[in-house]
Amino acid sequence: MKIPALVAALLITFAHPVAFAAEADAEILYLLEFVENSGCDFERNGTVHDSADAADHLRLKYRRGGKYASNADQFIDRLASESSWTGKKYTVTCDGTQQLSGEWLHQALDDYRQRETP
């Protein structure tokens, strides 16, 4: 009877990080699609970009720096909120209202999590 308990413990131990990673990936992919489909303008280092360009840039940053973001909150805080070159904060303008991209993305993530929680 000790073998099944050991197997169960191993499954729980090793399956949890996989499930966590899958959830983090789903949230980050949601955020990238959210940015791309937003129709908002993004300012990065003084240059305004449309939502498709902004999403492409964030995908590039995630591909290159994903090791610094093991979850969606870290993705926002470490990759999607400011320039890694200049440290200047990114902004987003939607319907004439400008805000920091980090705040905007955290709100989008909170909304997503509320919809996905049973």
Side-chain angles (χ1 to χ4, degrees):
M1 291 306 224
K2 291 183 181 181
I3 300 283
L6 178 62
V7 170
L10 288 172
L11 285 173
I12 290 169
T13 300
F14 291 109
H16 179 68
V18 171
F20 181 75
E23 180 180 323
D25 285 342
E27 289 180 343
I28 293 167
L29 290 175
Y30 166 78
L31 290 171
L32 292 168
E33 290 176 9
F34 176 79
V35 168
E36 185 167 28
N37 296 320
S38 70
C40 299
D41 291 325
F42 293 79
E43 186 173 338
R44 187 176 81 240
N45 294 322
T47 304
V48 176
H49 303 271
D50 67 21
S51 57
D53 287 343
D56 286 343
H57 178 72
L58 293 179
R59 283 186 189 98
L60 174 69
K61 286 186 79 171
Y62 186 52
R63 275 194 308 273
R64 291 184 177 171
K67 63 184 174 188
Y68 302 108
S70 60
N71 60 54
D73 291 293
Q74 289 178 353
F75 167 74
I76 294 169
D77 295 337
R78 297 178 180 175
L79 301 175
S81 294
E82 66 183 31
S83 170
S84 55
W85 289 86
T86 66
K88 187 173 179 172
K89 300 281 186 190
Y90 297 157
T91 62
V92 57
T93 303
C94 301
D95 300 321
T97 302
Q98 185 180 55
Q99 61 184 311
L100 295 172
S101 66
E103 294 173 2
W104 182 73
L105 288 169
H106 275 295
Q107 183 60 55
L109 180 59
D110 289 346
D111 293 345
Y112 173 80
R113 287 174 173 163
Q114 287 179 0
R115 286 192 309 271
E116 295 300 310
T117 302

